[in-house]
Amino acid sequence: MDGSTRRTRFENRVELEREFLTCVNQRFGTHAPLAGMTGDAIDAWRVRAREAGCADEVDVVRDLLIEISKRAELIADHSRDVFDREGRAIAGALDDLRVMLAKAMSTAR
């Protein structure tokens, strides 16, 4: 694997993380902005979102963000053939997570 392939995967991961950060911050950013997609950043966001009076749905959003974060990490992984436990390719699983996150965000108050 050459350096450009690694860079492309890293750039794809960053782009993916920005996509989800933007989604969450459009809904919660005024009161509790999400600063990053690491587990610690997501957990800190959850605490702030709950303290800001956001609904319990933040727990569902938090769980989805943790899973998305793990998938994004796998995308940057050097192994090209990474699959989840059900045998689906990562890209398909991310599409499912996008839909689930959109649904959770629409029900959040």
Side-chain angles (χ1 to χ4, degrees):
M1 175 183 311
D2 63 15
S4 65
T5 302
R6 279 191 201 112
R7 180 175 298 134
T8 300
R9 288 190 185 161
F10 174 75
E11 290 168 348
N12 288 342
R13 176 183 177 181
V14 169
E15 187 175 318
L16 178 69
E17 289 179 349
R18 284 183 183 158
E19 171 190 346
F20 290 105
L21 283 168
T22 300
C23 178
V24 171
N25 286 333
Q26 284 175 341
R27 169 61 183 89
F28 296 101
T30 303
H31 304 289
L34 177 60
M37 289 293 290
T38 65
D40 288 342
I42 294 167
D43 286 338
W45 165 81
R46 178 187 167 269
V47 169
R48 288 191 318 276
R50 291 181 67 86
E51 288 174 353
C54 296
D56 290 335
E57 287 85 1
V58 297
D59 293 334
V60 173
V61 172
R62 179 245 177 233
D63 292 344
L64 290 167
L65 291 172
I66 292 292
E67 186 61 28
I68 290 164
S69 175
K70 290 176 186 176
R71 305 284 176 164
E73 187 175 333
L74 289 174
I75 287 172
D77 190 293
H78 299 294
S79 173
R80 191 67 183 148
D81 298 316
V82 180
F83 294 90
D84 70 7
R85 290 186 187 122
E86 288 82 37
R88 294 179 300 181
I90 290 173
L94 279 172
D95 289 341
D96 293 344
L97 289 168
R98 277 185 184 95
V99 170
M100 293 168 69
L101 182 62
K103 183 177 179 182
M105 297 292 287
S106 70
T107 62
R109 292 183 216 132

